[in-house]
């Protein structure tokens, strides 16, 4: 697991507006990290992806950046890029 090997962390933010999510993802990317936003259901996933696309993210980037993990409280998993 990446948590034990020290190559990823979980991060929770209190402001989960699409602009904040977009900024977090961009900041991670600019620092050689990959941030994935995890949400509890497909409805939330699809809404966030659409919002990120409306902010200028490509469909492919949005699909890679927001995923469903059933039952999870929304948060980021941040990974070191290879």
């Amino acid at each position: 697991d990446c948590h034990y090997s020290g190559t990823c962390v979980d991060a929770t933010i209190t402001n989960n507006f699409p602009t904040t999510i977009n900024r977090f993802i961009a900041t991670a990317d600019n620092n050689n990290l990959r941030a994935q936003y995890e949400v509890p259901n497909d409805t939330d996933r699809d809404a966030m992806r659409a919002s990120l696309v409306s902010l200028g993210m490509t469909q492919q980037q949005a699909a890679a950046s927001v995923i469903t993990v059933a039952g999870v409280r929304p948060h980021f998993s941040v990974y070191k890029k290879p």
Side-chain angles (χ1 to χ4, degrees):
D1 175 280
C2 65
H3 295 285
Y4 296 110
S5 65
T7 59
C8 75
V9 296
D10 286 345
T12 302
I13 59 174
T14 56
N15 175 345
N16 63 351
F17 294 116
T19 52
T20 306
I21 302 302
N22 189 46
R23 190 173 331 123
F24 191 102
I25 292 166
T27 300
D29 186 57
N30 290 336
N31 287 281
N32 204 35
L33 300 168
R34 179 176 58 88
Q36 267 189 328
Y37 192 60
E38 299 178 4
V39 295
N41 58 62
D42 292 346
T43 300
D44 290 349
R45 179 200 64 200
D46 293 346
M48 184 58 72
R49 286 179 178 176
S51 294
L52 293 174
V53 168
S54 75
L55 292 170
M57 193 178 280
T58 68
Q59 291 278 354
Q60 183 179 4
Q61 289 169 324
S65 297
V66 184
I67 63 170
T68 301
V69 178
V72 73
R73 294 179 73 182
H75 72 280
F76 282 100
S77 286
V78 183
Y79 304 90
K80 182 179 178 183
K81 288 184 181 176

